[in-house]
Amino acid sequence: MHEWALAEAVIAAAQQIAEEEKLKEVREVTIKVGELQGVEKDILQFALSQLKPANFKNANFHITRAKTTLKCRACGNTWLFNEKKLGKDTVEAIHFVPEVAHTYIKCPKCGSPDFEITEGRGIWLESIKGVR
Amino acid sequence: MVDPRTTIINERLKRISRIIAVSSGKGGVGKSLVATALALTLSRSGCKVGLFDLDFTSPSTHLILGVKDAQPKEDKGIIPPVVNSLTYMSLIYYSHDQAAPLRGIDTSNALIELLAVTQWGELDFLIIDMPPGIGDAVLDLIRLVKRIEFLIVTTPSLLAFETVRKQVALLQSLKVPIIGIVENMKMTNAANVQDETAKLGLKFLAEIPYDAKVEEAIGDETKLLGTVLAKKIKQLVASNAL
């Protein structure tokens, strides 16, 4: 239930934005989760539904998945993250701290661990809609 | 697009009375040993203490503590295990003692992730073992942790103290509290660090002589607490100078 902690962060951030935007009620929150972190969508959805405060009572949480793109800084190669090529323990370690991908993943072309996670790292709050 | 994780960090840390970053301008001054000895000493004095190794690319507190099979639990976040009476967190649980070659952005992201999801519970002190210098970890802690305080470790070397001077200038300009300076690995009676600390308007907390026995104490809490280094830290804790 590591997702619970992330859901709390989403609610706190969304609440802060709602206050800044002077929204009386929040109706829709769109969240993007990167494949690298492997957040369980159902658990996140459940945690969000349990944690939502009164002004989020009628809010829908849309969770979309983003593919993870990695780009090698040494040779410029770009590739997609594929957890099936990794062991269960490694996938779990990356689930908790995506940056340890640099410990376990190497550029398939040149073998360097010096790559950039250009897209699809972890969790992002993409948009929030509500009524003033 | 908003990164939601930073919003929750101070909520996660709210039940911790004091958060002390043990820092240095240069590497190799004994910062991790001082941080670990400080955490263990505070714990032995009856406080609830956490130790967080933020030196992601060169972690060493797990070796000093002799951490073996400990792993965090997952329950509405990550609950660090208790090791030698310390609530202990490190990236090594996930990198498993292999190299973690991280650039600045990755260091920041890993730091934010662990601050956002670690459930420390109630603590009197959280001691943070910092990487050397004034890079990403220092800047992120200043940016993200409201109640951060710094304790700076140096050696008598002019080279080490010059980097401390820069770190102090940065922290003072940002009005970040500095508890004081610890001089480690002292081999003469020279008082230059003490004098320079006074000129910076800071408290000189302790001078620790070079102690060859420290190396033999790595991985053994009892031996570590018997070193001159730990005895000096004990005096510092007892003096209420923290």
Side-chain angles (χ1 to χ4, degrees), chain A residues 1-6 8-10 12-13 16-17 32 37 73 89 92-93 95-100 102-104 113-115 117 121 123-126, chain B residues 1-8 12 74-78 91 93-96 98-103 105-107 109-111 113-114 116-119:
Chain A
M1 293 290 274
H2 161 242
E3 280 79 358
W4 192 278
L6 296 173
E8 283 178 334
V10 168
Q16 192 175 305
I17 294 167
K32 204 174 209 178
Q37 190 160 34
R73 285 191 175 99
D89 290 350
E92 195 172 286
H95 169 62
F96 288 113
V97 187
E99 282 59 45
V100 296
H102 293 279
T103 296
Y104 304 108
D114 185 12
F115 55 82
I117 304 161
R121 177 203 170 274
I123 192 158
W124 285 88
L125 186 54
E126 203 162 50
Chain B
M1 293 273 275
V2 171
D3 181 350
R5 299 171 301 163
T6 55
T7 321
I8 203 78
R12 294 274 180 261
E74 192 183 358
D75 185 11
K76 296 186 175 177
I78 294 170
L91 193 70
Y93 297 133
Y94 308 106
S95 59
H96 299 293
Q98 295 184 58
L102 304 179
R103 285 183 179 259
I105 180 72
D106 304 311
T107 300
N109 256 322
L111 182 155
E113 195 73 35
L114 288 175
V117 303
T118 303
Q119 304 279 10

Side-chain angles (χ1 to χ4, degrees), chain B residues 54-118:
Chain B
L54 264 191
D55 195 353
F56 291 152
T57 56
S58 311
S60 59
T61 54
H62 64 294
L63 300 173
I64 299 168
L65 284 171
V67 177
K68 293 198 170 64
D69 302 321
Q71 271 299 123
K73 282 185 190 155
E74 192 183 358
D75 185 11
K76 296 186 175 177
I78 294 170
I79 300 175
V82 175
V83 176
N84 301 14
S85 79
L86 305 176
T87 304
Y88 179 67
M89 193 66 194
S90 169
L91 193 70
I92 57 114
Y93 297 133
Y94 308 106
S95 59
H96 299 293
D97 250 355
Q98 295 184 58
L102 304 179
R103 285 183 179 259
I105 180 72
D106 304 311
T107 300
S108 269
N109 256 322
L111 182 155
I112 291 168
E113 195 73 35
L114 288 175
L115 286 174
V117 303
T118 303

Side-chain angles (χ1 to χ4, degrees), chain B residues 134-199:
Chain B
I134 45 177
D136 296 87
V138 168
L139 295 173
D140 278 328
L141 282 191
I142 295 171
R143 178 171 71 99
L144 299 167
V145 179
K146 280 184 197 161
R147 294 177 292 116
I148 193 78
E149 305 167 65
F150 281 75
L151 184 154
I152 299 173
V153 183
T154 185
T155 65
S157 164
L158 181 66
L159 303 181
F161 200 81
E162 277 310 301
T163 60
V164 165
R165 208 186 292 280
K166 293 183 178 72
Q167 185 169 35
V168 168
L170 173 81
L171 296 173
Q172 287 180 333
S173 72
L174 295 171
K175 297 186 171 49
V176 178
I178 304 171
I179 299 166
I181 293 180
V182 169
E183 184 184 14
N184 189 26
M185 296 193 239
K186 200 168 161 70
M187 294 171 85
T188 69
N189 290 325
N192 55 316
V193 170
Q194 207 159 338
D195 295 343
E196 292 301 315
T197 301
K199 283 183 200 165

Side-chain angles (χ1 to χ4, degrees), chain A residues 4 7-12 14-15 25-29 31 44-62:
Chain A
W4 192 278
E8 283 178 334
V10 168
I11 295 286
Q15 187 70 284
E25 195 187 341
V26 174
R27 295 274 172 86
E28 189 182 287
V29 180
I31 301 148
L44 182 65
Q45 189 72 257
F46 173 73
L48 289 166
S49 71
Q50 296 296 303
L51 289 165
K52 62 185 183 183
N55 58 332
F56 283 63
K57 190 175 61 180
N58 299 311
N60 284 316
F61 293 93
H62 295 296

